[in-house]
Amino acid sequence: MTDKTQQTPASNPELPTQYTPAEVEGKLYERWVERGWFTADATSDKPPYTIVIPPPNVTGALHLGHAFQVTLMDALTRRKRMQGYETLWLPGMDHAGIATQNKVEQQLAEEGKSRHDLGREAFTERVWQWKEEYGGRILGQLRRLGAGLDWSRERFTMDEGLSRAVQTIFKNLYDDELIYRAERIINWCPRCLTAISDIEVEYQDDAGELVSLKYGEGDETLVVATTRVETMLGDTAVAVHPDDPRYAHLIGKRIKLPLTDRTIPVVADTHVDPEFGTGAVKVTPAHDPNDFAIGQRHGLESLTVMDERAVITVPGPFQGLDRFEARSAIVQALREQGRVVAEKRPYVHSVGHCSRCHTTIEPRLSLQWWVKVGPLAKAAGDAVRDGDVAIHPADLSKRYFDWVDNMHDWCISRQLWWGHRIPVWYGPNGEVVCVGPDEQPPAGEGWTQDEDVLDTWFSSGLWPFSTLGWPEQTPDLKKFYATDVLVTGHDIIFFWVARMMMFGLYAMDGEAPFHTVALTGLVRDENGKKMSKSNPNSVDPLDWMDAYGSDAVRFTLARGANPGADVPIGEDWVQASRNFANKIWNATRFALMNGATVEGELPPAEEMSAADRWILSRLNKTVAEVDAYYDDYQFAKVSDALYHFAWDEVFDWYVELSKTTYFEGGERAKVSARVLGEVLDVTLRLLHPVVPFVTETLWTTLTGRETLVIAEWPADSGFRDEAAEREIELVQRVVTEVRRFRSDQGLQPGQKVPARLGLDGTALAPHEPAIRQLLRLQPEGEGFSATATLPVAGATVALDLSGTIDVDAERKRLAKDLAAAEKERQQAEAKLGNEAFLAKAPEPVVVKIRTRLDRAREDIDRITAQLSRLPGA
């Protein structure tokens, strides 16, 4: 298994007594980058392995969600690099249209200015200046985390190459009649003053009001209910179901719209649910998507009653009022006319909010640019159904299909200045010309370019191929497309995954942008609560890296990464991971001090001890297990398998079992030293993708070779020794059982006890020195008295405790504990046997008492067993 391709080991390597991450991580990372070990070669004949990083916003800073996904991507690419793939992990940032424009507008506001004071060109230049000064700090933070990104290929969604890609695909889609301009209902943010797409709307339960209003006069009246009373000023109909007998006499008639001088028709439409409310609904085509559809079917007028800031524009007493002010004023006016039939407050219902600024969204009729998603979405769905793209875990495929199979046309225009400007020019006589990247825009008087920019997700949807040079047929595109895996949160399967699938299949001749979508959960606190900046549970991962090291943060995140499941994380878990790194350090240091080496071939099995053969057998099984978990994106299982193998089997058992061999010296010690060197070599390689810094430091010291980054990934040699595994399992059973007994008797771990071991005729006999060493058991000596005898694993262990514990005092202590446990059991049984109590007690209380009963019974069994094993029992 040992990699022979790098330089020979140094003799007598030494490690500092303590591992200090801060002294290691920064220097190591810069060395990795300077040596070019993360830089991919498009001319290589190695098989490619490609991941493009989900581009963080240029406004962003590293948070635990970023750190989580970056850790997983880094683990995948580091392993593939070690496996001999030409590995490209491509970094970059998203220009984040709304978020970045808001940042710069806030700066201007502090100066008493607005973007309109500067004008479009000067404002855009100001945003570029902000980007150069403040943007991209997250990329530096990714270095801190140890991300093995190819920095020579860093991209930005507004750089020249990606801008060319955006203009090209817009032109192609436009020419194919998959992009069009139309007046439709959109989600409008009155704060950001732009349209936003459906997937950028966050819904939350708000406490509003439901008001029932009487429309019409006399016999020609009906009642409608609404949560948005202010929109009634734009009503152009009332709709009822065509088969509803209550309103059959009104269909086709016109009724009076309150507070206005207009009458509106009553129309019949099957969209109306006659069982809901009164079975009659007000229709406001310019301010509701369902109403717009009804309006289209019935040729209704669309009246816009608010401006872009959600201020009422209808002449009259409500003109100039904010929508929420108008709501109260209109309800009061209707109440005075006797038009309010019922009012329900609070009325909790789901309301859309802008994901950027959290302002309540206003549905609004607007002329915008749209992508006709029908054929694109079908192709994106078919790619998964046909097996060209795998979604992992597979049970999340349903959410993907629910989205792509029911996708609405995508509004891609934004009323911003920062972003890719729509490449369409309008002429003085109504001409519309879409211009590609190699075409000259029309010139002359009266020609103007569209003022809007494209949705940020439009450019990030091209990310897997635009970053590789598309639309040019570059060596990178040829070598590294399609990418292998997309690692992303299940929360943006709609935002980003579907967009990339649609554009990738369209632009790349039907070849999907990735082979696998590995969906992760969200990082939460240790109590399972969502972390956010507004909550006190929010954590800056840089603080944890400062305190415990980057490896500790990475290992904690990876160990919680079950496919598609949310990841709870707390500081004590990061501390535990730091302790693991320290354990690796101390164990390797001990091994080096005792001659562990990677020099030369492994000795033949017949020269090895059972412990040597056992650990090599377990090592190869672990290699196979880790490979299977990686291939299934089971990062938590990878981490757990390595943790328990390294800590439990290598450090706690094999190293301890080998100590007697080292103390004795001779050829046996040399064999075990070579085996231990082999085990550490392979274990450090297996751990490297998740904890790169500590493993790099230890491995290069152990082997004398240059770096783990490009070392060979371990392969399962096929070595198995089931007999040795069974033999060592017997040793473990004996040691574990006797340790438990010692603990029960109150003996200190280091306290020595005289013992007689009955191991003759068993597989345990050769291990007596190791067993005695592990259990601190002295030879029996003169006057030995077996006060306690433990039968275990076919052998016996007789202990003389007469000089180590006060048996009478121990018996009294245990008797007192037993009495307390008996009392607890009786009280719990009495309550659970009381039918009246069970009938009244809440279920959690009953469960708690049952738990107390189970614990009391366990205590009774345990204490009784301890008493029976006391000398003289």
Side-chain angles (χ1 to χ4, degrees):
M1 291 184 195
T2 305
D3 180 9
K4 308 296 183 186
T5 61
Q6 302 185 54
Q7 66 192 54
T8 56
S11 59
N12 301 319
E14 292 184 2
L15 288 168
T17 56
Q18 242 179 343
Y19 176 52
T20 309
E23 295 177 4
V24 170
E25 294 176 349
K27 290 182 287 188
L28 261 188
Y29 188 83
E30 291 309 314
R31 181 169 171 268
W32 291 335
V33 174
E34 288 167 7
R35 297 296 178 91
W37 290 326
F38 300 147
T39 304
D41 180 3
T43 66
S44 165
D45 58 2
K46 295 179 183 178
Y49 185 83
T50 314
I51 294 180
V52 291
I53 196 169
N57 286 352
V58 69
T59 59
L62 185 71
H63 58 64
L64 278 172
H66 290 130
F68 173 50
Q69 292 179 358
V70 166
T71 294
L72 305 188
M73 286 182 275
D74 196 35
L76 290 172
T77 51
R78 283 181 182 271
R79 172 175 175 256
K80 286 296 182 179
R81 191 179 292 113
M82 294 172 74
Q83 286 181 317
Y85 286 78
E86 194 60 48
T87 303
L88 170 60
W89 185 20
L90 192 146
M93 292 183 296
D94 194 295
H95 66 279
I98 296 175
T100 308
Q101 179 158 319
N102 282 347
K103 287 278 187 184
V104 179
E105 289 198 82
Q106 287 167 12
Q107 276 190 343
L108 289 174
E110 291 170 4
E111 300 168 15
K113 300 177 183 176
S114 74
R115 62 180 161 123
H116 300 284
D117 295 324
L118 272 66
R120 184 169 195 142
E121 187 175 342
F123 175 78
T124 303
E125 179 59 33
R126 178 74 176 258
V127 181
W128 276 107
Q129 291 172 6
W130 183 92
K131 184 258 180 186
E132 293 304 317
E133 187 173 354
Y134 300 104
R137 60 179 171 153
I138 189 173
L139 297 183
Q141 293 166 345
L142 295 182
R143 290 172 176 258
R144 176 73 191 284
L145 192 63
L149 290 151
D150 183 349
W151 296 106
S152 70
R153 287 176 165 86
E154 181 186 334
R155 303 305 298 268
F156 178 53
T157 51
M158 288 277 286
D159 69 29
E160 185 177 347
L162 269 64
S163 294
R164 179 178 176 81
V166 167
Q167 195 172 353
T168 299
I169 201 164
F170 187 100
K171 170 70 171 173
N172 293 348
L173 289 164
Y174 181 86
D175 289 347
D176 287 343
E177 298 183 349
L178 292 172
I179 281 183
Y180 64 95
R181 196 179 190 217
E183 198 172 39
R184 299 276 180 84
I185 294 287
I186 48 95
N187 303 299
W188 181 265
C189 176
R191 158 64 181 76
C192 297
L193 298 181
T194 182
I196 63 174
S197 63
D198 292 344
I199 53 179
E200 293 171 297
V201 178
E202 293 179 346
Y203 287 91
Q204 66 184 49
D205 287 341
D206 285 359
E209 58 184 349
L210 181 67
V211 182
S212 298
L213 307 172
K214 183 170 67 175
Y215 282 21
E217 302 289 351
D219 294 336
E220 296 182 351
T221 63
L222 36 67
V223 175
V224 300
T226 180
T227 58
R228 300 168 66 218
V229 176
E230 66 279 8
T231 63
M232 68 158 291
L233 299 175
D235 285 0
T236 55
V238 172
V240 298
H241 194 276
D243 299 329
D244 192 335
R246 293 172 295 176
Y247 305 115
H249 67 291
L250 290 176
I251 294 173
K253 293 187 177 181
R254 301 184 70 87
I255 61 173
K256 181 80 168 62
L257 179 65
L259 304 183
T260 72
D261 57 2
R262 295 190 290 119
T263 60
I264 57 176
V266 177
V267 299
D269 197 283
T270 55
H271 171 76
V272 179
D273 180 1
E275 302 299 322
F276 182 77
T278 63
V281 296
K282 59 191 286 298
V283 181
T284 320
H287 291 277
D288 182 273
N290 293 322
D291 292 4
F292 178 78
I294 293 174
Q296 293 282 294
R297 288 194 289 272
H298 297 276
L300 302 176
E301 185 180 5
S302 295
L303 300 179
T304 300
V305 299
M306 295 179 220
D307 65 12
E308 69 274 9
R309 297 185 185 275
V311 172
I312 301 297
T313 57
V314 177
F318 312 112
Q319 187 174 12
L321 294 181
D322 169 82
R323 55 183 165 165
F324 299 122
E325 296 171 336
R327 182 175 298 173
S328 298
I330 291 172
V331 169
Q332 180 58 31
L334 290 167
R335 193 182 291 120
E336 290 170 359
Q337 290 188 6
R339 294 277 179 179
V340 176
V341 176
E343 298 177 70
K344 183 177 181 181
R345 296 189 186 89
Y347 178 71
V348 178
H349 61 131
S350 182
V351 177
H353 296 260
C354 173
S355 62
R356 300 293 180 186
C357 69
H358 309 297
T359 300
T360 301
I361 288 300
E362 189 62 44
R364 187 168 188 259
L365 187 63
S366 182
L367 184 63
Q368 302 283 346
W369 284 95
W370 304 79
V371 171
K372 185 185 296 182
V373 299
L376 302 173
K378 182 181 184 305
D382 289 346
V384 176
R385 287 189 174 93
D386 295 344
D388 296 331
V389 177
I391 290 180
H392 188 87
D395 58 5
L396 288 180
S397 298
K398 182 180 183 301
R399 292 181 59 185
Y400 176 77
F401 292 132
D402 286 346
W403 177 252
V404 297
D405 293 346
N406 300 285
M407 195 183 295
H408 301 296
D409 283 2
W410 172 19
C411 177
I412 56 171
S413 45
R414 298 291 180 267
Q415 290 64 56
L416 304 170
W417 286 357
W418 172 244
H420 296 98
R421 195 165 175 181
I422 290 176
V424 172
W425 272 254
Y426 305 108
N429 299 310
E431 302 95 332
V432 179
V433 177
C434 181
V435 177
D438 298 316
E439 300 171 351
Q440 291 298 317
E445 187 175 349
W447 283 93
T448 58
Q449 186 178 357
D450 196 296
E451 292 289 322
D452 291 350
V453 301
L454 288 163
D455 178 10
T456 297
W457 295 102
F458 190 94
S459 51
S460 60
L462 314 182
W463 190 250
F465 52 95
S466 63
T467 52
L468 299 174
W470 186 90
E472 311 306 325
Q473 295 303 304
T474 63
D476 275 5
L477 191 65
K478 182 178 179 182
K479 176 75 174 178
F480 296 112
Y481 189 88
T483 68
D484 285 87
V485 60
L486 172 73
V487 178
T488 191
H490 61 62
D491 56 322
I492 63 168
I493 191 170
F494 316 128
F495 283 79
W496 195 41
V497 177
R499 308 297 194 218
M500 288 188 289
M501 287 285 282
M502 292 191 301
F503 282 166
L505 290 161
Y506 173 79
M508 298 301 293
D509 299 321
E511 187 176 7
F514 22 73
H515 302 307
T516 301
V517 179
L519 295 170
T520 69
L522 307 178
V523 178
R524 298 183 179 273
D525 70 14
E526 61 265 41
N527 298 313
K529 293 181 180 178
K530 184 178 179 180
M531 288 188 179
S532 69
K533 292 179 182 177
S534 59
N535 289 338
N537 66 353
S538 179
V539 172
D540 185 342
L542 294 170
D543 291 342
W544 279 354
M545 285 189 267
D546 287 341
Y548 308 111
S550 297
D551 283 335
V553 174
R554 291 170 60 114
F555 192 75
T556 305
L557 291 165
R559 204 171 179 195
N562 291 297
D566 288 348
V567 183
I569 184 171
E571 187 167 5
D572 53 339
W573 302 341
V574 185
Q575 291 174 351
S577 296
R578 185 268 317 273
N579 295 343
F580 179 52
N582 288 341
K583 182 78 170 181
I584 301 169
W585 182 274
N586 293 332
T588 305
R589 186 169 178 273
F590 168 84
L592 290 169
M593 290 169 61
N594 286 276
T597 180
V598 296
E599 292 189 58
E601 297 296 328
L602 276 173
E606 55 268 21
E607 295 181 13
M608 297 179 189
S609 68
D612 294 336
R613 288 180 278 113
W614 163 72
I615 198 63
L616 288 175
S617 184
R618 289 294 307 128
L619 176 67
N620 279 283
K621 286 182 178 179
T622 301
V623 170
E625 191 177 20
V626 166
D627 276 333
Y629 288 147
Y630 262 122
D631 291 341
D632 198 33
Y633 303 99
Q634 298 275 3
F635 299 100
K637 291 183 177 179
V638 166
S639 304
D640 257 0
L642 289 171
Y643 177 90
H644 289 296
F645 175 71
W647 192 308
D648 300 345
E649 298 188 278
V650 179
F651 305 146
D652 277 358
W653 283 107
Y654 180 65
V655 169
E656 293 298 322
L657 286 168
S658 301
K659 280 182 178 178
T660 53
T661 305
Y662 295 140
F663 296 155
E664 292 169 2
E667 289 304 312
R668 286 278 304 278
K670 290 180 182 178
V671 170
S672 289
R674 178 64 188 89
V675 171
L676 180 54
E678 182 77 7
V679 171
L680 287 174
D681 173 14
V682 174
T683 302
L684 292 170
R685 293 186 207 210
L686 291 172
L687 283 163
H688 178 71
V690 180
V691 284
F693 293 110
V694 67
T695 53
E696 172 86 343
T697 306
L698 293 174
W699 189 85
T700 54
T701 304
L702 171 70
T703 67
R705 300 186 181 99
E706 191 175 15
T707 183
L708 249 178
V709 174
I710 53 173
E712 186 178 346
W713 181 254
D716 176 6
S717 71
F719 180 86
R720 301 286 191 276
D721 194 323
E722 302 297 338
E725 290 195 42
R726 288 192 296 272
E727 190 171 322
I728 299 304
E729 283 172 11
L730 291 176
V731 175
Q732 291 172 322
R733 283 176 56 194
V734 170
V735 172
T736 301
E737 185 64 29
V738 176
R739 278 178 174 166
R740 185 181 295 116
F741 176 76
R742 286 176 57 110
S743 175
D744 287 346
Q745 302 308 314
L747 295 176
Q748 296 300 314
Q751 191 171 352
K752 293 184 178 180
V753 177
R756 177 189 300 138
L757 304 188
L759 308 180
D760 292 345
T762 73
L764 293 163
H767 301 285
E768 179 165 345
I771 291 172
R772 286 188 176 276
Q773 171 68 26
L774 289 165
L775 290 171
R776 304 293 188 269
L777 302 180
Q778 294 176 318
E780 52 192 276
E782 190 174 337
F784 176 84
S785 174
T787 57
T789 301
L790 306 178
V792 57
T796 58
V797 178
L799 304 174
D800 184 353
L801 304 179
S802 57
T804 57
I805 62 171
D806 184 334
V807 175
D808 289 338
E810 184 66 11
R811 185 174 285 111
K812 288 178 181 177
R813 183 185 70 81
L814 290 173
K816 183 178 179 181
D817 290 347
L818 181 61
E822 289 281 9
K823 183 178 181 181
E824 177 76 1
R825 176 183 62 80
Q826 291 168 5
Q827 290 176 342
E829 286 178 342
K831 285 188 177 180
L832 294 174
N834 185 335
E835 293 296 334
F837 170 78
L838 292 177
K840 295 179 181 178
E843 181 61 22
V845 172
V846 176
V847 170
K848 187 175 181 180
I849 293 172
R850 285 183 180 138
T851 302
R852 282 171 49 194
L853 177 60
D854 290 342
R855 190 179 298 121
R857 287 170 173 168
E858 289 170 5
D859 288 344
I860 290 168
D861 291 342
R862 176 180 56 80
I863 297 167
T864 302
Q866 287 178 244
L867 281 167
S868 70
R869 290 197 293 261
L870 281 175

